[in-house]
Amino acid sequence: MLIVNQYFKILRNISKPHWFDILELIKCSQGMSVGELSEHLGMSYMGVKKHCLAMQKLGYLDTWRKPKEVGRPEKLYRITEKLALLFPSIGDEVSLSILEAASQLEPNAAEKLLLHFFRAETDKLAVLLEGATVKERAIALASERAKRGYFSRVIEEEDGMLRIDEFHNPLQALFDKYPTLERMEVQMFERLLGAGVGRKVTKVSGLSRYRFDLFPR
């Protein structure tokens, strides 16, 4: 009951005008400055700063300083662990315990179960994805992944190259325990998109970005 009450308390607080928009932008990044938030939201600098300071006071945001080649470090806002309830994880202790128990019965049982999961997930997503081009399928995939809590975005570079950026992995606990999941995830992307995929994870000041570069075949 304590977790549920805390969850609704957070929802009540962030339901204030502009707060959710600010949190969503920050979540889909590795930290953002007040100036960047102001530009994205079309709001005044001081208006955004006021909201950020209020959320920082509640413990929902804190700041870190990103070094710059020239000048003073840039002050960026990031989401704190206090908002973890809003970003669910399904790779919890129960899932890990079940996989560990399966491994005791058969050495490769956990990997086989996880492979089955990714194949089933691929089949489900394949039905939902429409598009004749890699870009169209990438947009559809990012949309479906966003619904599943991955905070996915499609980025098109100036040279026309595409990538999918994600800022949350609900299965991270499983990925930490079973590194072969990275290969399974890449294979799923490749099958769904009909393109080569390169996966790269970057971590900055505790903030993770999962980058999937797409290479049309």
Side-chain angles (χ1 to χ4, degrees):
M1 182 63 69
L2 179 61
I3 293 177
V4 174
N5 289 340
Q6 182 67 15
Y7 180 77
F8 283 110
K9 180 180 179 181
I10 291 172
L11 288 181
R12 184 176 66 248
N13 286 338
I14 68 171
S15 65
K16 297 176 182 177
H18 306 300
W19 281 30
F20 185 82
D21 294 334
I22 291 172
L23 291 173
E24 184 178 26
L25 282 171
I26 294 175
K27 179 61 179 176
C28 294
S29 72
Q30 290 183 299
M32 295 186 73
S33 67
V34 172
E36 290 172 325
L37 290 166
S38 175
E39 182 178 351
H40 276 82
L41 294 169
M43 295 174 57
S44 70
Y45 181 95
M46 292 307 298
V48 172
K49 184 176 181 179
K50 179 180 178 181
H51 290 308
C52 289
L53 288 174
M55 285 188 278
Q56 185 175 13
K57 186 175 181 180
L58 289 172
Y60 298 155
L61 296 178
D62 67 7
T63 61
W64 69 284
R65 295 190 178 275
K66 180 180 179 181
K68 299 171 64 176
E69 292 185 3
V70 179
R72 299 171 60 185
E74 186 177 22
K75 181 179 178 180
L76 303 180
Y77 279 95
R78 61 185 176 185
I79 287 174
T80 69
E81 284 297 316
K82 194 170 184 178
L83 289 182
L85 285 173
L86 299 182
F87 312 113
S89 171
I90 60 176
D92 56 15
E93 293 184 8
V94 175
S95 301
L96 291 169
S97 297
I98 292 173
L99 291 170
E100 185 65 29
S103 296
Q104 293 178 7
L105 297 174
E106 182 182 337
N108 297 321
E111 285 76 8
K112 290 179 180 178
L113 288 171
L114 291 167
L115 179 60
H116 175 76
F117 166 80
F118 269 96
R119 286 177 174 172
E121 185 71 2
T122 301
D123 291 339
K124 291 177 185 176
L125 287 169
V127 175
L128 300 173
L129 301 192
E130 296 181 356
T133 66
V134 172
K135 181 177 180 179
E136 290 172 345
R137 292 191 294 273
I139 292 172
L141 176 58
S143 176
E144 291 300 325
R145 297 268 290 182
K147 294 175 185 176
R148 289 162 167 76
Y150 288 87
F151 287 83
S152 306
R153 298 288 187 274
V154 174
I155 307 295
E156 185 170 7
E157 306 283 5
E158 292 183 0
D159 59 4
M161 295 297 292
L162 296 170
R163 74 173 194 264
I164 295 176
D165 283 351
E166 297 185 339
F167 295 90
H168 183 65
N169 184 358
L171 298 173
Q172 189 57 56
L174 293 177
F175 274 69
D176 292 339
K177 179 70 174 180
Y178 303 98
T180 54
L181 289 183
E182 295 182 8
R183 176 174 52 82
M184 295 181 193
E185 187 175 55
V186 167
Q187 290 174 341
M188 180 181 73
F189 271 58
E190 290 180 334
R191 178 182 168 189
L192 291 169
L193 299 176
V197 176
R199 184 183 191 273
K200 181 179 180 181
V201 181
T202 58
K203 295 185 178 182
V204 178
S205 189
L207 305 172
S208 297
R209 180 181 71 173
Y210 307 86
R211 172 172 172 157
F212 300 87
D213 291 296
L214 311 184
F215 308 100
R217 292 170 177 166

mmCIF file of all heavy atoms in Angstrom, residues 2-25:
data_model
loop_
_atom_site.group_PDB
_atom_site.id
_atom_site.type_symbol
_atom_site.label_atom_id
_atom_site.label_comp_id
_atom_site.label_asym_id
_atom_site.label_seq_id
_atom_site.Cartn_x
_atom_site.Cartn_y
_atom_site.Cartn_z
ATOM 1 N N LEU A 2 2.013 1.193 0.675
ATOM 2 C CA LEU A 2 2.902 2.350 0.727
ATOM 3 C C LEU A 2 3.372 2.735 -0.666
ATOM 4 O O LEU A 2 3.405 3.916 -1.026
ATOM 5 C CB LEU A 2 4.106 2.043 1.622
ATOM 6 C CG LEU A 2 5.146 3.171 1.758
ATOM 7 C CD1 LEU A 2 4.493 4.400 2.379
ATOM 8 C CD2 LEU A 2 6.322 2.701 2.596
ATOM 9 N N ILE A 3 3.731 1.724 -1.486
ATOM 10 C CA ILE A 3 4.196 1.994 -2.849
ATOM 11 C C ILE A 3 3.086 2.619 -3.677
ATOM 12 O O ILE A 3 3.301 3.574 -4.422
ATOM 13 C CB ILE A 3 4.698 0.693 -3.508
ATOM 14 C CG1 ILE A 3 5.967 0.205 -2.801
ATOM 15 C CG2 ILE A 3 4.962 0.910 -4.988
ATOM 16 C CD1 ILE A 3 6.497 -1.100 -3.332
ATOM 17 N N VAL A 4 1.867 2.084 -3.552
ATOM 18 C CA VAL A 4 0.729 2.621 -4.305
ATOM 19 C C VAL A 4 0.468 4.071 -3.916
ATOM 20 O O VAL A 4 0.259 4.939 -4.765
ATOM 21 C CB VAL A 4 -0.531 1.761 -4.059
ATOM 22 C CG1 VAL A 4 -1.747 2.409 -4.711
ATOM 23 C CG2 VAL A 4 -0.324 0.356 -4.607
ATOM 24 N N ASN A 5 0.479 4.352 -2.618
ATOM 25 C CA ASN A 5 0.244 5.720 -2.154
ATOM 26 C C ASN A 5 1.318 6.672 -2.670
ATOM 27 O O ASN A 5 1.029 7.801 -3.063
ATOM 28 C CB ASN A 5 0.210 5.757 -0.623
ATOM 29 C CG ASN A 5 -1.040 5.090 -0.063
ATOM 30 O OD1 ASN A 5 -2.033 4.932 -0.767
ATOM 31 N ND2 ASN A 5 -0.981 4.693 1.190
ATOM 32 N N GLN A 6 2.571 6.216 -2.660
ATOM 33 C CA GLN A 6 3.667 7.042 -3.158
ATOM 34 C C GLN A 6 3.505 7.303 -4.648
ATOM 35 O O GLN A 6 3.759 8.405 -5.136
ATOM 36 C CB GLN A 6 5.006 6.345 -2.884
ATOM 37 C CG GLN A 6 6.229 7.137 -3.332
ATOM 38 C CD GLN A 6 6.426 8.412 -2.535
ATOM 39 O OE1 GLN A 6 5.839 8.589 -1.475
ATOM 40 N NE2 GLN A 6 7.231 9.318 -3.051
ATOM 41 N N TYR A 7 3.047 6.273 -5.376
ATOM 42 C CA TYR A 7 2.836 6.388 -6.818
ATOM 43 C C TYR A 7 1.803 7.475 -7.121
ATOM 44 O O TYR A 7 2.020 8.348 -7.960
ATOM 45 C CB TYR A 7 2.372 5.040 -7.363
ATOM 46 C CG TYR A 7 2.115 5.015 -8.847
ATOM 47 C CD1 TYR A 7 3.164 4.949 -9.755
ATOM 48 C CD2 TYR A 7 0.813 5.042 -9.343
ATOM 49 C CE1 TYR A 7 2.932 4.913 -11.118
ATOM 50 C CE2 TYR A 7 0.568 5.005 -10.703
ATOM 51 C CZ TYR A 7 1.631 4.942 -11.585
ATOM 52 O OH TYR A 7 1.395 4.913 -12.928
ATOM 53 N N PHE A 8 0.680 7.438 -6.419
ATOM 54 C CA PHE A 8 -0.368 8.423 -6.667
ATOM 55 C C PHE A 8 0.034 9.817 -6.190
ATOM 56 O O PHE A 8 -0.385 10.823 -6.767
ATOM 57 C CB PHE A 8 -1.680 7.983 -6.012
ATOM 58 C CG PHE A 8 -2.396 6.913 -6.775
ATOM 59 C CD1 PHE A 8 -2.490 5.628 -6.285
ATOM 60 C CD2 PHE A 8 -2.959 7.185 -8.013
ATOM 61 C CE1 PHE A 8 -3.128 4.637 -7.002
ATOM 62 C CE2 PHE A 8 -3.609 6.202 -8.740
ATOM 63 C CZ PHE A 8 -3.693 4.921 -8.234
ATOM 64 N N LYS A 9 0.848 9.876 -5.159
ATOM 65 C CA LYS A 9 1.344 11.173 -4.703
ATOM 66 C C LYS A 9 2.204 11.818 -5.781
ATOM 67 O O LYS A 9 2.091 13.018 -6.058
ATOM 68 C CB LYS A 9 2.157 10.996 -3.415
ATOM 69 C CG LYS A 9 2.710 12.305 -2.864
ATOM 70 C CD LYS A 9 3.510 12.068 -1.591
ATOM 71 C CE LYS A 9 4.090 13.373 -1.062
ATOM 72 N NZ LYS A 9 4.902 13.149 0.164
ATOM 73 N N ILE A 10 3.053 11.016 -6.405
ATOM 74 C CA ILE A 10 3.893 11.530 -7.492
ATOM 75 C C ILE A 10 3.026 11.995 -8.655
ATOM 76 O O ILE A 10 3.233 13.074 -9.215
ATOM 77 C CB ILE A 10 4.886 10.445 -7.955
ATOM 78 C CG1 ILE A 10 5.926 10.173 -6.866
ATOM 79 C CG2 ILE A 10 5.585 10.872 -9.249
ATOM 80 C CD1 ILE A 10 6.826 8.994 -7.160
ATOM 81 N N LEU A 11 2.036 11.169 -9.029
ATOM 82 C CA LEU A 11 1.155 11.543 -10.138
ATOM 83 C C LEU A 11 0.428 12.853 -9.852
ATOM 84 O O LEU A 11 0.268 13.695 -10.742
ATOM 85 C CB LEU A 11 0.138 10.431 -10.397
ATOM 86 C CG LEU A 11 0.660 9.145 -11.037
ATOM 87 C CD1 LEU A 11 -0.486 8.162 -11.233
ATOM 88 C CD2 LEU A 11 1.317 9.437 -12.383
ATOM 89 N N ARG A 12 -0.019 13.023 -8.631
ATOM 90 C CA ARG A 12 -0.718 14.255 -8.265
ATOM 91 C C ARG A 12 0.209 15.459 -8.394
ATOM 92 O O ARG A 12 -0.171 16.510 -8.906
ATOM 93 C CB ARG A 12 -1.245 14.150 -6.833
ATOM 94 C CG ARG A 12 -2.069 15.384 -6.413
ATOM 95 C CD ARG A 12 -2.660 15.227 -5.019
ATOM 96 N NE ARG A 12 -1.620 15.185 -4.000
ATOM 97 C CZ ARG A 12 -1.327 14.105 -3.277
ATOM 98 N NH1 ARG A 12 -1.989 12.974 -3.473
ATOM 99 N NH2 ARG A 12 -0.375 14.139 -2.362
ATOM 100 N N ASN A 13 1.442 15.295 -7.969
ATOM 101 C CA ASN A 13 2.387 16.409 -8.027
ATOM 102 C C ASN A 13 2.739 16.797 -9.457
ATOM 103 O O ASN A 13 2.763 17.979 -9.808
ATOM 104 C CB ASN A 13 3.663 16.055 -7.262
ATOM 105 C CG ASN A 13 3.467 16.083 -5.757
ATOM 106 O OD1 ASN A 13 2.553 16.731 -5.257
ATOM 107 N ND2 ASN A 13 4.317 15.373 -5.039
ATOM 108 N N ILE A 14 3.016 15.796 -10.298
ATOM 109 C CA ILE A 14 3.485 16.120 -11.652
ATOM 110 C C ILE A 14 2.342 16.440 -12.607
ATOM 111 O O ILE A 14 2.582 16.738 -13.778
ATOM 112 C CB ILE A 14 4.350 14.984 -12.239
ATOM 113 C CG1 ILE A 14 3.514 13.736 -12.510
ATOM 114 C CG2 ILE A 14 5.534 14.685 -11.345
ATOM 115 C CD1 ILE A 14 4.272 12.666 -13.276
ATOM 116 N N SER A 15 1.101 16.374 -12.127
ATOM 117 C CA SER A 15 -0.034 16.730 -12.982
ATOM 118 C C SER A 15 -0.160 18.239 -13.152
ATOM 119 O O SER A 15 -1.014 18.716 -13.893
ATOM 120 C CB SER A 15 -1.339 16.163 -12.406
ATOM 121 O OG SER A 15 -1.641 16.765 -11.156
ATOM 122 N N LYS A 16 0.694 18.984 -12.487
ATOM 123 C CA LYS A 16 0.671 20.438 -12.627
ATOM 124 C C LYS A 16 1.055 20.826 -14.053
ATOM 125 O O LYS A 16 1.816 20.116 -14.714
ATOM 126 C CB LYS A 16 1.632 21.070 -11.622
ATOM 127 C CG LYS A 16 1.237 20.802 -10.172
ATOM 128 C CD LYS A 16 2.261 21.350 -9.199
ATOM 129 C CE LYS A 16 1.858 21.025 -7.766
ATOM 130 N NZ LYS A 16 2.848 21.482 -6.774
ATOM 131 N N PRO A 17 0.531 21.950 -14.538
ATOM 132 C CA PRO A 17 0.821 22.369 -15.918
ATOM 133 C C PRO A 17 2.321 22.386 -16.220
ATOM 134 O O PRO A 17 3.111 22.915 -15.439
ATOM 135 C CB PRO A 17 0.228 23.784 -15.972
ATOM 136 C CG PRO A 17 -0.863 23.769 -14.956
ATOM 137 C CD PRO A 17 -0.354 22.890 -13.843
ATOM 138 N N HIS A 18 2.682 21.770 -17.325
ATOM 139 C CA HIS A 18 4.043 21.750 -17.874
ATOM 140 C C HIS A 18 4.990 20.773 -17.171
ATOM 141 O O HIS A 18 6.041 20.450 -17.731
ATOM 142 C CB HIS A 18 4.674 23.151 -17.872
ATOM 143 C CG HIS A 18 3.847 24.186 -18.549
ATOM 144 N ND1 HIS A 18 3.480 24.094 -19.877
ATOM 145 C CD2 HIS A 18 3.286 25.337 -18.086
ATOM 146 C CE1 HIS A 18 2.748 25.143 -20.204
ATOM 147 N NE2 HIS A 18 2.606 25.907 -19.141
ATOM 148 N N TRP A 19 4.669 20.305 -15.983
ATOM 149 C CA TRP A 19 5.611 19.444 -15.276
ATOM 150 C C TRP A 19 5.848 18.139 -16.021
ATOM 151 O O TRP A 19 6.990 17.705 -16.164
ATOM 152 C CB TRP A 19 5.120 19.166 -13.853
ATOM 153 C CG TRP A 19 5.395 20.295 -12.907
ATOM 154 C CD1 TRP A 19 5.467 21.626 -13.215
ATOM 155 C CD2 TRP A 19 5.637 20.194 -11.503
ATOM 156 N NE1 TRP A 19 5.726 22.371 -12.090
ATOM 157 C CE2 TRP A 19 5.833 21.510 -11.020
ATOM 158 C CE3 TRP A 19 5.685 19.136 -10.606
ATOM 159 C CZ2 TRP A 19 6.092 21.776 -9.673
ATOM 160 C CZ3 TRP A 19 5.938 19.399 -9.261
ATOM 161 C CH2 TRP A 19 6.145 20.709 -8.809
ATOM 162 N N PHE A 20 4.767 17.504 -16.476
ATOM 163 C CA PHE A 20 4.941 16.231 -17.175
ATOM 164 C C PHE A 20 5.735 16.427 -18.461
ATOM 165 O O PHE A 20 6.589 15.605 -18.803
ATOM 166 C CB PHE A 20 3.588 15.592 -17.491
ATOM 167 C CG PHE A 20 3.713 14.225 -18.108
ATOM 168 C CD1 PHE A 20 3.907 13.111 -17.314
ATOM 169 C CD2 PHE A 20 3.679 14.061 -19.483
ATOM 170 C CE1 PHE A 20 4.054 11.850 -17.877
ATOM 171 C CE2 PHE A 20 3.822 12.810 -20.055
ATOM 172 C CZ PHE A 20 4.003 11.701 -19.250
ATOM 173 N N ASP A 21 5.464 17.521 -19.187
ATOM 174 C CA ASP A 21 6.197 17.792 -20.430
ATOM 175 C C ASP A 21 7.691 17.949 -20.156
ATOM 176 O O ASP A 21 8.535 17.456 -20.914
ATOM 177 C CB ASP A 21 5.659 19.061 -21.098
ATOM 178 C CG ASP A 21 4.229 18.893 -21.589
ATOM 179 O OD1 ASP A 21 3.839 17.745 -21.878
ATOM 180 O OD2 ASP A 21 3.515 19.904 -21.683
ATOM 181 N N ILE A 22 8.015 18.647 -19.080
ATOM 182 C CA ILE A 22 9.422 18.843 -18.720
ATOM 183 C C ILE A 22 10.074 17.510 -18.360
ATOM 184 O O ILE A 22 11.176 17.194 -18.822
ATOM 185 C CB ILE A 22 9.543 19.835 -17.545
ATOM 186 C CG1 ILE A 22 9.150 21.247 -18.010
ATOM 187 C CG2 ILE A 22 10.958 19.838 -16.969
ATOM 188 C CD1 ILE A 22 9.044 22.258 -16.888
ATOM 189 N N LEU A 23 9.384 16.702 -17.563
ATOM 190 C CA LEU A 23 9.938 15.413 -17.151
ATOM 191 C C LEU A 23 10.129 14.481 -18.343
ATOM 192 O O LEU A 23 11.125 13.757 -18.428
ATOM 193 C CB LEU A 23 9.023 14.756 -16.117
ATOM 194 C CG LEU A 23 8.972 15.436 -14.743
ATOM 195 C CD1 LEU A 23 7.907 14.785 -13.878
ATOM 196 C CD2 LEU A 23 10.332 15.369 -14.059
ATOM 197 N N GLU A 24 9.184 14.499 -19.277
ATOM 198 C CA GLU A 24 9.297 13.627 -20.454
ATOM 199 C C GLU A 24 10.505 14.018 -21.300
ATOM 200 O O GLU A 24 11.260 13.159 -21.766
ATOM 201 C CB GLU A 24 8.025 13.696 -21.293
ATOM 202 C CG GLU A 24 8.047 12.740 -22.488
ATOM 203 C CD GLU A 24 6.775 12.770 -23.292
ATOM 204 O OE1 GLU A 24 6.083 13.811 -23.283
ATOM 205 O OE2 GLU A 24 6.466 11.762 -23.939
ATOM 206 N N LEU A 25 10.706 15.315 -21.495
ATOM 207 C CA LEU A 25 11.856 15.776 -22.273
ATOM 208 C C LEU A 25 13.167 15.385 -21.596
ATOM 209 O O LEU A 25 14.109 14.922 -22.250
ATOM 210 C CB LEU A 25 11.793 17.296 -22.453
ATOM 211 C CG LEU A 25 10.821 17.822 -23.513
ATOM 212 C CD1 LEU A 25 10.710 19.338 -23.416
ATOM 213 C CD2 LEU A 25 11.289 17.421 -24.912
#
